[in-house]
């Protein structure tokens, strides 16, 4: 069975952020899932490179539009390479093949009488590249979608006869399960029922776009960026050219954000009807990632860079968080604290713990080699029925595009497996000489880990592959078929040892960081010298430095203050090697209340300067006596 999965093509006026990554990761997740199920999948992503907004951004940077779009498109491509996105085609709307397809579509729509010439007079939002009728505008002059100031334009334009398709659109929407979540479909139906106006599909006041094929002498029209962009979904399959991959089109699963619903659920199907093509099978409409309830924006400086997060917390942990934290279709708040909580509770405590205790017992009691006969599993038939019930229900949640529910259910499997360990107490059974029972239990747990890792693969491809490798299994569709579809077990196992797969992340450092940030935000009042004098900052020499065990951020330092020696825990492990610190003089906040970090006492705080992503120690310009006071 074939399937076609698309992401929106991203505007190149902005560098990629967590919202863009979310859409693409969702598409990647669905592709990996469908491939495991043995389907032939074609995934498309790319960049949307024309339009007035892009032309302006290039001008602001003093670059030619082509140079500008080349550089930003590459940033998206690089990010998808970094995240190992399994796409089959990356389309750019500045490609010649795409341009030709778009011109062909224009001609075809013209030939069936859907395009006519007129004049557009009204509001246009450059940021959304969208027209608005007076009845849609709530605040005079402001875009109803993004709130920005709109332009009033008056220019000659070709129009697409959108109103002609009103009834057919309603029929399609009312008779098909084509939009997920369903409440979005209602929104679209309401919008259409209020009446559709024809759509202006060419512009004459700028040049950065695809020229219409039937140019007249007196005016130069470029095709409206949304008509150009939407057509990428078929031009990438060869429409209007060699048609190489057009057989995928009938099975289109399209991911979009809620902000571009109208374009995909009204304009796009109308364009397809005009071209005599099938409509998409499904539109999956996700919500927005916000920061403390606010939309991300460059001007607010609250844009989250997905690579930075992945570098600190792991690519797969970020994927897990994005899929698990919000119910698909809803908005979500992105916070590091919420991400750490998910890593520590779901990943480290539940799955990581299950894997390490299973491996630990298999090693201790059976030197990592397990072998039982089939009947031995019968004594766990009750739990087995439960495992099977959950695992076989998982498909439903992908089918309804509810990845968070899928994961919630999958975690019930890991929860139940952990509960079995607590219930059967294998260490007690071993003492009582029931090693065969323990072996059977461990074989069952290994099979559950294999099944769980296969089910988790679409969301966490790297970590799942690592878990499966313990059992010498690959995340491939024949394995998925054996372990999940047919619910089979392997009874003879030789395990490989691995270290902690999900190390816990310390929360203290982050809390401290956040506390400091919010304190600073709140205290925008000035301090006087008496306040400063409360700080006792002294110079000390680092005598010893070592990593704090189980922490990848903390170093344990022994400091010499002349009269005293003290231990300070400092979050600089990712910025300095312990040995390189010995003998260095640093500034230390001496009268800070002592705290325990990761079980280690810390008396004082080493002062650092934050330079972008790195921390740099503050040091005296030349050696001074240890204990010297900073004033
Ligand atoms: N170029 C158009 C799409 C054309 S598709 C034929 C466009 N590009 S975009 O770069 O602005 O947005 C692309 C996708 O990123 C949209 O699905 C949008 O919803 C998503 N996101 C952008 N910011 C987002 C968040 N903060 N959160 C989640 N996704 C959001 O629109």
């Amino acid at each position: 069975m074939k399937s076609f999965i698309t992401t929106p093509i991203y505007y190149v006026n902005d560098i990629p952020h967590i919202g863009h990554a979310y859409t693409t990761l969702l598409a990647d997740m669905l592709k990996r899932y469908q491939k495991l199920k043995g389907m032939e999948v074609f995934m498309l992503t790319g960049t949307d490179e024309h339009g007035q907004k892009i032309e302006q951004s290039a001008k602001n940077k003093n670059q030619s539009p082509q140079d500008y779009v080349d550089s930003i498109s590459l940033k998206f491509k690089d990010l998808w390479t970094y995240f190992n996105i399994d796409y089959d085609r990356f389309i750019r709307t500045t490609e010649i093949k795409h341009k030709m397809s778009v011109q062909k579509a224009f001609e075809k729509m013209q030939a069936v009488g859907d395009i006519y010439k007129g004049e557009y007079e009204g509001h246009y939002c450059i940021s959304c590249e969208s027209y608005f009728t007076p009845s849609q505008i709530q605040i005079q002059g402001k875009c109803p979608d993004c709130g920005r100031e709109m332009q009033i334009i008056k220019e000659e334009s070709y129009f697409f006869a959108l109103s002609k398709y009103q009834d057919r659109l309603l029929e399609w929407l009312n008779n098909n399960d084509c939009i997920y979540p369903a409440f979005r479909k209602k929104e679209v139906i309401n919008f259409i029922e209020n009446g559709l106006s024809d759509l202006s599909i060419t512009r004459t006041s700028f040049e950065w776009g695809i020229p219409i094929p039937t140019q007249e002498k007196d005016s130069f029209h470029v095709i409206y960026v949304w008509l150009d962009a939407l057509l990428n979904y078929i031009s990438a399959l060869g429409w209007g050219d060699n048609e190489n991959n057009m057989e995928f089109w009938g099975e289109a699963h399209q991911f979009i954000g809620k902000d571009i619903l109208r374009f995909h659920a009204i304009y796009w199907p109308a364009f397809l009807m005009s071209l005599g093509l099938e409509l998409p099978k499904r539109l999956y409409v996700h919500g927005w990632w916000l920061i403390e309830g606010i939309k991300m924006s460059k001007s607010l400086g609250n844009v989250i860079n997905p690579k930075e997060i992945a570098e600190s917390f792991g690519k797969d942990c970020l994927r897990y968080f994005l899929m698990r934290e919000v119910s698909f279709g809803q908005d979500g708040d992105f916070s590091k604290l919420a991400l750490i909580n998910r890593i520590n509770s779901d990943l480290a405590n539940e799955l990581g713990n299950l894997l390490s205790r299973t491996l630990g017992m298999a090693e201790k009691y059976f030197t990592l080699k397990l072998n039982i006969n089939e009947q031995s599993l019968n004594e766990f038939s009750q739990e087995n029925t439960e495992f099977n019930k959950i695992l076989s229900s998982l498909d439903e949640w992908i089918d309804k595009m509810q990845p968070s529910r899928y994961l919630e259910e999958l975690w019930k499997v890991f929860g139940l497996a952990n509960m079995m360990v607590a219930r059967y107490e294998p260490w007690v059974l071993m003492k009582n000489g029931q090693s065969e029972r323990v072996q059977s239990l461990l074989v069952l747990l290994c099979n559950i880990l294999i099944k769980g890792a296969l089910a988790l693969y679409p969301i966490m491809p790297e970590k799942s592959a690592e878990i499966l490798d313990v059992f010498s299994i690959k995340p491939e569709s024949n394995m998925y078929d054996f372990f999940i579809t047919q619910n089979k077990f392997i009874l003879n196992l030789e395990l490989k040892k691995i270290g902690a797969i999900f190390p816990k992340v310390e929360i203290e450092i982050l809390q401290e960081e956040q506390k400091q940030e919010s304190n600073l935000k709140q205290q925008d009042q000035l301090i006087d010298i008496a306040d400063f004098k409360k700080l006792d900052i002294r110079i000390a020499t680092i005598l010893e430095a070592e990593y704090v065990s189980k922490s990848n951020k903390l170093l344990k330092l022994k400091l010499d203050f002349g009269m005293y020696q003290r231990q300070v825990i400092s979050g600089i492990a990712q910025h300095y090697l312990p040995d390189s610190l010995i003998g260095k003089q640093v500034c230390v906040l001496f009268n800070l209340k002592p705290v325990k970090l990761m079980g280690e006492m810390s008396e004082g705080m080493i002062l650092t300067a934050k330079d972008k992503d790195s921390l740099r120690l503050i040091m005296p310009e030349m050696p001074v006596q240890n204990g010297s006071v900073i004033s």
Side-chain angles (χ1 to χ4, degrees):
M1 206 178 141
K2 286 189 163 40
S3 170
F4 182 43
I5 300 175
T6 69
T7 74
I9 47 172
Y10 301 100
Y11 282 133
V12 287
N13 65 320
D14 207 355
I15 49 164
H17 60 59
I18 201 85
H20 305 124
Y22 179 52
T23 322
T24 300
L25 290 170
L26 278 162
D28 183 73
M29 178 274 295
L30 185 62
K31 174 168 183 190
R32 288 174 193 271
Y33 169 81
Q34 291 185 339
K35 267 175 65 181
L36 274 184
K37 302 214 69 115
M39 291 166 70
E40 189 189 343
V41 193
F42 189 106
M43 178 179 155
L44 170 69
T45 188
T47 40
D48 187 354
E49 306 187 359
H50 289 129
Q52 198 169 358
K53 180 164 60 172
I54 310 284
E55 193 181 69
Q56 277 185 357
S57 301
K59 206 182 259 166
N60 294 343
K61 297 237 154 154
N62 268 333
Q63 279 183 299
S64 75
Q66 191 62 54
D67 286 349
Y68 174 72
V69 299
D70 286 350
S71 67
I72 312 262
S73 177
L74 201 62
K75 290 201 165 62
F76 279 93
K77 219 173 181 177
D78 286 348
L79 187 69
W80 307 150
T81 306
Y82 172 76
F83 275 105
N84 208 1
I85 300 295
D86 190 16
Y87 63 79
D88 298 276
R89 170 97 159 85
F90 186 99
I91 190 167
R92 299 184 54 189
T93 53
T94 48
E95 285 170 24
I96 186 78
K97 281 197 171 190
H98 171 76
K99 290 186 191 169
M100 280 162 59
S101 256
V102 172
Q103 288 181 329
K104 273 216 173 125
F106 191 92
E107 275 170 341
K108 200 151 185 209
M109 290 170 172
Q110 224 169 8
V112 295
D114 281 349
I115 290 181
Y116 63 90
K117 199 170 180 182
E119 187 182 62
Y120 179 80
E121 184 174 2
H123 285 90
Y124 189 78
C125 172
I126 299 181
S127 178
C128 300
E129 297 281 16
S130 188
Y131 302 93
F132 293 97
T133 58
S135 66
Q136 293 171 321
I137 300 170
Q138 287 134 16
I139 304 170
Q140 196 44 39
K142 301 275 188 223
C143 170
D145 282 352
C146 72
R148 290 187 176 87
E149 199 69 41
M150 288 192 285
Q151 265 194 336
I152 296 181
I153 56 175
K154 183 173 179 195
E155 54 189 53
E156 183 188 87
S157 177
Y158 284 88
F159 284 81
F160 174 77
L162 186 65
S163 54
K164 176 174 150 185
Y165 290 97
Q166 181 156 330
D167 294 340
R168 279 177 66 190
L169 284 168
L170 285 173
E171 195 187 312
W172 171 61
L173 290 161
N174 284 319
N175 298 324
N176 290 284
D177 259 351
C178 47
I179 302 189
Y180 286 74
F183 72 89
R184 292 288 177 204
K185 187 160 98 173
K186 296 207 184 89
E187 259 176 52
V188 178
I189 292 175
N190 286 344
F191 188 92
I192 300 177
E193 281 174 346
N194 280 332
L196 292 178
S197 322
D198 289 349
L199 181 69
S200 161
I201 51 161
T202 65
R203 301 285 312 273
T204 55
S205 52
F206 67 96
E207 288 180 3
W208 186 240
I210 302 176
I212 61 166
T214 48
Q215 217 60 256
E216 286 159 21
K217 279 186 215 85
D218 51 345
S219 55
F220 176 80
H221 290 252
V222 293
I223 292 173
Y224 174 42
V225 64
W226 270 100
L227 174 56
D228 164 354
L230 287 161
L231 287 165
N232 93 87
Y233 298 131
I234 52 171
S235 77
L237 296 176
W239 184 85
D241 184 25
N242 54 22
E243 307 270 322
N244 265 352
N245 287 308
M246 272 308 281
E247 73 269 20
F248 282 96
W249 176 247
E251 287 301 327
H253 295 252
Q254 307 206 266
F255 284 93
I256 56 170
K258 63 178 186 181
D259 50 319
I260 52 176
L261 175 61
R262 194 169 63 239
F263 302 96
H264 283 81
I266 302 177
Y267 301 173
W268 178 223
F271 296 155
L272 288 164
M273 286 176 193
S274 175
L275 295 172
L277 291 169
E278 275 180 77
L279 304 190
K281 272 265 143 52
R282 287 190 179 181
L283 291 177
Y284 298 120
V285 190
H286 67 71
W288 279 60
W289 282 101
L290 307 170
I291 308 298
E292 291 172 358
I294 300 170
K295 216 170 134 180
M296 271 180 267
S297 90
K298 256 194 296 192
S299 52
L300 286 175
N302 62 352
V303 174
I304 301 276
N305 177 342
K307 197 169 169 194
E308 253 173 50
I309 299 289
E311 274 166 3
S312 307
F313 300 98
K315 289 180 215 174
D316 275 17
C317 293
L318 173 61
R319 287 175 73 117
Y320 175 80
F321 175 76
L322 293 174
M323 303 293 147
R324 177 67 185 84
E325 190 68 4
V326 294
S327 173
F328 183 87
Q330 304 297 323
D331 288 347
D333 220 44
F334 189 92
S335 91
K336 282 189 193 167
L337 196 59
L339 170 60
I340 293 177
N341 280 333
R342 283 278 171 210
I343 295 175
N344 288 349
S345 65
D346 302 6
L347 298 175
N349 281 355
E350 293 270 7
L351 176 55
N353 188 25
L354 177 65
L355 179 68
S356 69
R357 69 209 301 202
T358 305
L359 264 175
M361 288 189 282
E363 184 182 27
K364 185 168 170 199
Y365 303 140
F366 305 102
T367 61
L368 295 170
K369 290 189 189 80
L370 303 168
N371 190 4
I372 60 162
N373 57 36
E374 203 158 355
Q375 290 76 28
S376 317
L377 286 182
N378 289 347
E379 68 173 301
F380 306 113
S381 63
Q382 203 190 328
E383 286 98 343
N384 238 329
T385 313
E386 190 58 22
F387 283 131
N388 187 26
K389 203 167 109 199
I390 308 171
L391 286 166
S392 57
S393 74
L394 290 178
D395 281 349
E396 181 187 348
W397 305 113
I398 295 289
D399 191 49
K400 292 183 176 158
M401 196 39 68
Q402 293 193 25
S404 64
R405 184 67 196 274
Y406 177 92
L407 289 168
E408 198 182 326
E409 293 301 312
L410 179 56
W411 250 252
K412 288 185 185 159
V413 168
F414 301 135
L416 181 59
N418 272 320
M419 226 163 67
M420 285 184 80
V421 178
R423 184 187 300 156
Y424 291 100
E425 299 183 312
W427 46 94
V428 177
L429 294 179
M430 284 306 285
K431 272 196 197 136
N432 298 341
Q434 297 187 56
S435 81
E436 280 315 296
R437 242 184 127 192
V438 174
Q439 191 164 186
S440 306
L441 174 66
L442 290 177
V443 167
L444 177 60
L445 295 179
C446 288
N447 276 276
I448 290 306
L449 277 161
I450 295 171
K451 288 166 196 270
L454 284 165
L456 185 58
Y457 171 77
I459 290 114
M460 305 187 78
E462 287 178 10
K463 290 290 177 187
S464 303
E466 274 179 49
I467 298 175
L468 289 169
D469 191 50
V470 169
F471 310 98
S472 305
I473 286 173
K474 294 231 169 336
E476 288 164 355
S477 67
N478 57 342
M479 291 293 125
Y480 186 89
D481 182 57
F482 179 90
F483 284 102
I484 298 202
T485 315
Q486 300 185 48
N487 192 28
K488 290 196 174 155
F489 290 79
I490 40 174
L491 306 172
N492 186 348
L493 289 143
E494 192 163 339
L495 314 181
K496 289 184 213 155
K497 267 204 84 177
I498 51 167
I501 186 146
F502 299 115
K504 279 205 176 184
V505 182
E506 315 115 26
I507 236 158
E508 291 96 330
I509 293 268
L510 180 79
Q511 281 172 336
E512 197 49 46
E513 204 179 273
Q514 285 178 338
K515 225 191 303 164
Q516 280 171 10
E517 257 173 39
S518 73
N519 282 349
L520 275 180
K521 266 188 220 153
Q522 283 162 15
Q523 299 164 9
D524 50 6
Q525 73 269 48
L526 301 174
I527 60 162
D528 57 31
I529 194 72
D531 289 317
F532 176 71
K533 284 209 163 132
K534 286 186 195 153
L535 304 178
D536 183 354
I537 304 172
R538 300 189 190 185
I539 300 292
T541 296
I542 301 178
L543 299 176
E544 289 168 21
E546 60 181 277
Y547 291 111
V548 171
S549 69
K550 293 200 202 122
S551 165
N552 53 7
K553 291 217 174 125
L554 298 179
L555 286 185
K556 182 160 84 176
L557 305 166
K558 194 179 212 187
L559 302 178
D560 181 8
F561 290 87
M563 301 278 279
Y564 318 88
Q565 287 191 358
R566 274 190 182 183
Q567 172 171 296
V568 169
I569 306 298
S570 175
I572 54 172
Q574 288 176 351
H575 309 275
Y576 290 93
L577 290 171
D579 282 349
S580 72
L581 292 170
I582 310 293
K584 287 214 157 86
Q585 283 201 311
V586 287
C587 301
V588 186
L589 182 58
F590 192 73
N591 60 342
L592 188 69
K593 279 190 188 144
V595 283
K596 248 190 177 174
L597 291 171
M598 297 294 284
E600 296 281 358
M601 214 47 207
S602 180
E603 293 182 80
M605 184 175 78
I606 297 203
L607 303 188
T608 57
K610 194 163 184 211
D611 179 18
K612 291 204 188 95
D613 295 326
S614 57
L615 291 181
R616 294 285 130 218
L617 292 169
I618 315 283
M619 297 176 183
E621 169 252 343
M622 59 168 67
V624 293
Q625 260 199 354
N626 284 331
S628 299
V629 173
I630 291 173
S631 56

